[in-house]
Short mmCIF file of all heavy atoms in Angstrom, two decimals:
data_model
loop_
_atom_site.label_atom_id
_atom_site.label_comp_id
_atom_site.label_asym_id
_atom_site.label_seq_id
_atom_site.Cartn_x
_atom_site.Cartn_y
_atom_site.Cartn_z
N SER A 56 22.06 34.36 28.55
CA SER A 56 22.24 33.01 28.06
C SER A 56 21.21 32.72 26.97
O SER A 56 20.02 32.92 27.17
CB SER A 56 22.08 32.01 29.21
OG SER A 56 22.18 30.68 28.76
N ASP A 57 21.71 32.27 25.83
CA ASP A 57 20.85 31.84 24.74
C ASP A 57 20.56 30.36 24.94
O ASP A 57 21.44 29.52 24.80
CB ASP A 57 21.56 32.08 23.41
CG ASP A 57 20.70 31.73 22.21
OD1 ASP A 57 19.65 31.08 22.40
OD2 ASP A 57 21.08 32.10 21.08
N ALA A 58 19.33 30.04 25.29
CA ALA A 58 18.97 28.67 25.61
C ALA A 58 19.18 27.72 24.43
O ALA A 58 19.30 26.51 24.61
CB ALA A 58 17.51 28.60 26.07
N ALA A 59 19.23 28.28 23.23
CA ALA A 59 19.43 27.45 22.04
C ALA A 59 20.89 27.01 21.89
O ALA A 59 21.18 26.11 21.12
CB ALA A 59 18.98 28.19 20.79
N GLN A 60 21.80 27.65 22.64
CA GLN A 60 23.22 27.34 22.55
C GLN A 60 23.66 26.51 23.75
O GLN A 60 23.13 26.68 24.85
CB GLN A 60 24.06 28.62 22.47
CG GLN A 60 23.69 29.54 21.31
CD GLN A 60 23.89 28.88 19.96
OE1 GLN A 60 24.83 28.13 19.77
NE2 GLN A 60 23.01 29.19 19.02
N LYS A 61 24.62 25.65 23.54
CA LYS A 61 25.13 24.80 24.60
C LYS A 61 26.63 25.02 24.77
O LYS A 61 27.34 25.32 23.82
CB LYS A 61 24.86 23.32 24.30
CG LYS A 61 23.39 22.98 24.07
CD LYS A 61 22.54 23.26 25.30
CE LYS A 61 21.07 22.89 25.04
NZ LYS A 61 20.22 23.25 26.20
N GLY A 62 27.10 24.80 25.97
CA GLY A 62 28.53 24.87 26.23
C GLY A 62 29.13 26.23 25.91
O GLY A 62 28.50 27.28 26.09
N ALA A 63 30.36 26.22 25.41
CA ALA A 63 31.07 27.45 25.12
C ALA A 63 30.44 28.26 24.01
O ALA A 63 30.76 29.44 23.84
CB ALA A 63 32.53 27.15 24.78
N ALA A 64 29.53 27.65 23.25
CA ALA A 64 28.85 28.39 22.18
C ALA A 64 28.07 29.58 22.73
O ALA A 64 27.85 30.57 22.03
CB ALA A 64 27.91 27.46 21.42
N ARG A 65 27.68 29.51 24.00
CA ARG A 65 26.94 30.63 24.59
C ARG A 65 27.78 31.89 24.64
O ARG A 65 27.25 33.00 24.56
CB ARG A 65 26.45 30.24 26.00
CG ARG A 65 25.37 29.17 25.98
CD ARG A 65 24.85 28.86 27.36
NE ARG A 65 23.67 28.01 27.29
CZ ARG A 65 23.01 27.55 28.34
NH1 ARG A 65 23.43 27.87 29.56
NH2 ARG A 65 21.95 26.80 28.20
N SER A 66 29.08 31.73 24.80
CA SER A 66 29.97 32.89 24.76
C SER A 66 30.57 33.10 23.38
O SER A 66 30.92 34.22 23.02
CB SER A 66 31.10 32.71 25.78
OG SER A 66 30.60 32.69 27.11
N ALA A 67 30.69 32.03 22.61
CA ALA A 67 31.30 32.14 21.28
C ALA A 67 30.40 32.88 20.30
O ALA A 67 30.90 33.62 19.44
CB ALA A 67 31.63 30.74 20.74
N LEU A 68 29.10 32.69 20.42
CA LEU A 68 28.20 33.30 19.44
C LEU A 68 28.28 34.82 19.45
O LEU A 68 28.35 35.44 18.36
CB LEU A 68 26.77 32.83 19.68
CG LEU A 68 25.76 33.22 18.60
CD1 LEU A 68 26.17 32.66 17.24
CD2 LEU A 68 24.35 32.74 18.96
N PRO A 69 28.30 35.49 20.62
CA PRO A 69 28.47 36.95 20.58
C PRO A 69 29.79 37.37 19.94
O PRO A 69 29.86 38.41 19.27
CB PRO A 69 28.42 37.35 22.06
CG PRO A 69 27.67 36.25 22.74
CD PRO A 69 28.05 35.01 21.98
N VAL A 70 30.84 36.59 20.14
CA VAL A 70 32.13 36.90 19.51
C VAL A 70 32.02 36.78 17.99
O VAL A 70 32.51 37.62 17.24
CB VAL A 70 33.24 35.97 20.05
CG1 VAL A 70 34.55 36.22 19.31
CG2 VAL A 70 33.43 36.18 21.55
N ILE A 71 31.37 35.73 17.53
CA ILE A 71 31.17 35.55 16.09
C ILE A 71 30.44 36.74 15.49
O ILE A 71 30.82 37.24 14.42
CB ILE A 71 30.41 34.23 15.83
CG1 ILE A 71 31.31 33.04 16.12
CG2 ILE A 71 29.88 34.18 14.39
CD1 ILE A 71 30.60 31.70 16.09
N LYS A 72 29.42 37.22 16.18
CA LYS A 72 28.67 38.37 15.67
C LYS A 72 29.56 39.61 15.58
O LYS A 72 29.45 40.40 14.63
CB LYS A 72 27.47 38.63 16.57
CG LYS A 72 26.40 37.54 16.48
CD LYS A 72 25.23 37.83 17.41
CE LYS A 72 24.16 36.74 17.28
NZ LYS A 72 23.02 36.98 18.22
N GLU A 73 30.46 39.79 16.55
CA GLU A 73 31.37 40.94 16.52
C GLU A 73 32.37 40.81 15.38
O GLU A 73 32.70 41.80 14.71
CB GLU A 73 32.11 41.08 17.85
CG GLU A 73 31.22 41.45 19.04
CD GLU A 73 30.66 42.84 18.94
OE1 GLU A 73 31.16 43.65 18.12
OE2 GLU A 73 29.71 43.17 19.68
N ILE A 74 32.87 39.61 15.14
CA ILE A 74 33.81 39.41 14.03
C ILE A 74 33.11 39.65 12.70
O ILE A 74 33.69 40.24 11.77
CB ILE A 74 34.43 38.01 14.08
CG1 ILE A 74 35.26 37.83 15.37
CG2 ILE A 74 35.32 37.77 12.86
CD1 ILE A 74 35.81 36.43 15.57
N GLU A 75 31.87 39.21 12.60
CA GLU A 75 31.11 39.45 11.36
C GLU A 75 31.00 40.94 11.08
O GLU A 75 31.04 41.37 9.91
CB GLU A 75 29.74 38.81 11.46
CG GLU A 75 29.77 37.29 11.36
CD GLU A 75 28.41 36.66 11.56
OE1 GLU A 75 27.54 37.28 12.24
OE2 GLU A 75 28.19 35.55 11.06
N LYS A 76 30.87 41.75 12.14
CA LYS A 76 30.81 43.21 11.96
C LYS A 76 32.13 43.76 11.42
O LYS A 76 32.14 44.72 10.66
CB LYS A 76 30.48 43.89 13.29
CG LYS A 76 29.07 43.61 13.82
CD LYS A 76 28.89 44.29 15.17
CE LYS A 76 27.56 43.94 15.80
NZ LYS A 76 27.43 44.55 17.16
N ILE A 77 33.24 43.15 11.82
CA ILE A 77 34.55 43.59 11.32
C ILE A 77 34.64 43.35 9.82
O ILE A 77 35.21 44.13 9.07
CB ILE A 77 35.68 42.86 12.07
CG1 ILE A 77 35.68 43.28 13.55
CG2 ILE A 77 37.04 43.15 11.43
CD1 ILE A 77 36.64 42.49 14.42
N GLY A 78 34.08 42.24 9.37
CA GLY A 78 33.94 42.01 7.94
C GLY A 78 35.05 41.21 7.27
O GLY A 78 35.12 41.17 6.05
N CYS A 79 35.92 40.58 8.06
CA CYS A 79 36.97 39.76 7.46
C CYS A 79 37.45 38.76 8.50
O CYS A 79 37.15 38.88 9.70
CB CYS A 79 38.13 40.60 6.96
SG CYS A 79 39.02 41.49 8.27
N ALA A 80 38.21 37.76 8.04
CA ALA A 80 38.80 36.80 8.97
C ALA A 80 39.84 37.50 9.84
O ALA A 80 40.52 38.43 9.40
CB ALA A 80 39.43 35.65 8.20
N VAL A 81 39.98 37.04 11.08
CA VAL A 81 40.85 37.71 12.06
C VAL A 81 41.84 36.74 12.67
O VAL A 81 41.66 35.52 12.61
CB VAL A 81 40.00 38.35 13.19
CG1 VAL A 81 38.99 39.33 12.62
CG2 VAL A 81 39.30 37.28 14.04
N HIS A 82 42.88 37.30 13.25
CA HIS A 82 43.77 36.53 14.10
C HIS A 82 43.12 36.50 15.48
O HIS A 82 42.95 37.54 16.13
CB HIS A 82 45.15 37.19 14.19
CG HIS A 82 45.85 37.30 12.88
ND1 HIS A 82 46.41 36.21 12.24
CD2 HIS A 82 46.07 38.38 12.08
CE1 HIS A 82 46.96 36.61 11.11
NE2 HIS A 82 46.76 37.91 10.98
N LEU A 83 42.74 35.32 15.94
CA LEU A 83 41.98 35.19 17.18
C LEU A 83 42.93 34.81 18.31
O LEU A 83 43.60 33.77 18.26
CB LEU A 83 40.89 34.14 17.01
CG LEU A 83 39.77 34.10 18.04
CD1 LEU A 83 39.13 35.46 18.26
CD2 LEU A 83 38.70 33.09 17.62
N VAL A 84 42.99 35.67 19.32
CA VAL A 84 43.86 35.50 20.47
C VAL A 84 42.99 35.23 21.70
O VAL A 84 41.95 35.86 21.87
CB VAL A 84 44.72 36.76 20.70
CG1 VAL A 84 45.52 36.66 21.99
CG2 VAL A 84 45.62 37.02 19.51
N GLY A 85 43.41 34.31 22.55
CA GLY A 85 42.63 34.04 23.75
C GLY A 85 43.50 33.60 24.91
O GLY A 85 44.54 32.96 24.72
N HIS A 86 43.07 33.95 26.11
CA HIS A 86 43.75 33.56 27.34
C HIS A 86 42.78 32.81 28.22
O HIS A 86 41.68 33.29 28.50
CB HIS A 86 44.26 34.81 28.07
CG HIS A 86 44.76 34.56 29.45
ND1 HIS A 86 44.62 35.47 30.48
CD2 HIS A 86 45.41 33.49 30.00
CE1 HIS A 86 45.15 34.99 31.59
NE2 HIS A 86 45.63 33.78 31.32
N SER A 87 43.16 31.61 28.65
CA SER A 87 42.37 30.80 29.59
C SER A 87 40.96 30.57 29.06
O SER A 87 40.79 29.97 28.01
CB SER A 87 42.37 31.49 30.97
OG SER A 87 41.89 30.61 31.97
N ASN A 88 39.93 31.06 29.75
CA ASN A 88 38.57 30.87 29.26
C ASN A 88 38.40 31.50 27.87
O ASN A 88 37.72 30.93 27.00
CB ASN A 88 37.56 31.48 30.23
CG ASN A 88 36.12 31.28 29.79
OD1 ASN A 88 35.66 30.15 29.65
ND2 ASN A 88 35.41 32.37 29.55
N GLY A 89 39.03 32.64 27.65
CA GLY A 89 38.97 33.26 26.33
C GLY A 89 39.59 32.40 25.25
O GLY A 89 39.13 32.39 24.11
N ALA A 90 40.63 31.64 25.60
CA ALA A 90 41.24 30.73 24.64
C ALA A 90 40.32 29.56 24.34
O ALA A 90 40.25 29.08 23.20
CB ALA A 90 42.59 30.25 25.15
N GLY A 91 39.63 29.07 25.37
CA GLY A 91 38.66 28.01 25.14
C GLY A 91 37.53 28.47 24.23
O GLY A 91 37.08 27.73 23.35
N ILE A 92 37.09 29.71 24.42
CA ILE A 92 36.05 30.27 23.56
C ILE A 92 36.58 30.48 22.15
O ILE A 92 35.86 30.26 21.16
CB ILE A 92 35.51 31.58 24.16
CG1 ILE A 92 34.77 31.28 25.47
CG2 ILE A 92 34.58 32.30 23.19
CD1 ILE A 92 34.43 32.50 26.29
N ALA A 93 37.84 30.87 22.03
CA ALA A 93 38.44 31.04 20.70
C ALA A 93 38.42 29.73 19.92
O ALA A 93 38.14 29.72 18.71
CB ALA A 93 39.87 31.56 20.84
N ILE A 94 38.72 28.64 20.60
CA ILE A 94 38.66 27.33 19.94
C ILE A 94 37.24 27.05 19.45
O ILE A 94 37.03 26.58 18.33
CB ILE A 94 39.13 26.22 20.89
CG1 ILE A 94 40.63 26.35 21.17
CG2 ILE A 94 38.81 24.83 20.32
CD1 ILE A 94 41.14 25.42 22.24
N LYS A 95 36.26 27.37 20.28
CA LYS A 95 34.86 27.13 19.90
C LYS A 95 34.47 27.99 18.71
O LYS A 95 33.78 27.52 17.80
CB LYS A 95 33.95 27.41 21.09
CG LYS A 95 32.49 27.01 20.84
CD LYS A 95 32.35 25.51 20.68
CE LYS A 95 30.89 25.08 20.57
NZ LYS A 95 30.75 23.61 20.42
N VAL A 96 34.90 29.25 18.69
CA VAL A 96 34.63 30.12 17.54
C VAL A 96 35.22 29.50 16.28
O VAL A 96 34.56 29.45 15.23
CB VAL A 96 35.21 31.53 17.78
CG1 VAL A 96 35.15 32.36 16.49
CG2 VAL A 96 34.47 32.24 18.90
N ALA A 97 36.45 29.01 16.37
CA ALA A 97 37.11 28.41 15.21
C ALA A 97 36.38 27.16 14.73
O ALA A 97 36.29 26.92 13.52
CB ALA A 97 38.56 28.09 15.54
N LEU A 98 35.86 26.37 15.66
CA LEU A 98 35.12 25.17 15.29
C LEU A 98 33.78 25.52 14.63
O LEU A 98 33.34 24.86 13.69
CB LEU A 98 34.88 24.29 16.51
CG LEU A 98 36.11 23.54 17.04
CD1 LEU A 98 35.81 22.95 18.41
CD2 LEU A 98 36.55 22.45 16.07
N MET A 99 33.14 26.57 15.14
CA MET A 99 31.84 26.97 14.61
C MET A 99 31.96 27.71 13.29
O MET A 99 31.16 27.50 12.38
CB MET A 99 31.11 27.85 15.64
CG MET A 99 30.72 27.13 16.92
SD MET A 99 30.05 28.25 18.20
CE MET A 99 28.46 28.72 17.46
N ARG A 100 32.98 28.59 13.19
CA ARG A 100 33.13 29.43 11.99
C ARG A 100 34.60 29.54 11.60
O ARG A 100 35.21 30.59 11.76
CB ARG A 100 32.54 30.82 12.25
CG ARG A 100 31.03 30.87 12.35
CD ARG A 100 30.34 30.57 11.02
NE ARG A 100 30.81 31.45 9.95
CZ ARG A 100 30.29 32.66 9.72
NH1 ARG A 100 29.29 33.12 10.47
NH2 ARG A 100 30.76 33.40 8.73
N PRO A 101 35.17 28.47 11.09
CA PRO A 101 36.59 28.52 10.71
C PRO A 101 36.88 29.56 9.64
O PRO A 101 38.02 30.03 9.53
CB PRO A 101 36.88 27.09 10.21
CG PRO A 101 35.53 26.52 9.88
CD PRO A 101 34.58 27.14 10.83
N ASP A 102 35.88 29.93 8.86
CA ASP A 102 36.08 30.94 7.81
C ASP A 102 36.38 32.32 8.38
O ASP A 102 36.91 33.18 7.67
CB ASP A 102 34.83 31.02 6.92
CG ASP A 102 33.57 31.38 7.72
OD1 ASP A 102 33.23 30.62 8.66
OD2 ASP A 102 32.94 32.40 7.40
N LEU A 103 36.08 32.53 9.66
CA LEU A 103 36.30 33.83 10.29
C LEU A 103 37.64 33.91 11.01
O LEU A 103 37.98 34.96 11.57
CB LEU A 103 35.18 34.14 11.28
CG LEU A 103 33.78 34.32 10.71
CD1 LEU A 103 32.78 34.61 11.83
CD2 LEU A 103 33.75 35.43 9.66
#
Side-chain angles (χ1 to χ4, degrees):
S56 178
D57 183 348
Q60 303 298 324
K61 303 298 181 184
R65 292 183 170 179
S66 295
L68 189 59
V70 175
I71 288 171
K72 292 179 179 178
E73 293 293 344
I74 297 174
E75 287 176 334
K76 292 178 186 176
I77 294 172
C79 64
V81 303
H82 299 286
L83 195 52
V84 174
H86 170 215
S87 193
N88 182 61
I92 293 169
I94 292 172
K95 188 65 174 181
V96 170
L98 287 168
M99 294 173 69
R100 289 293 305 274
D102 59 301
L103 295 179

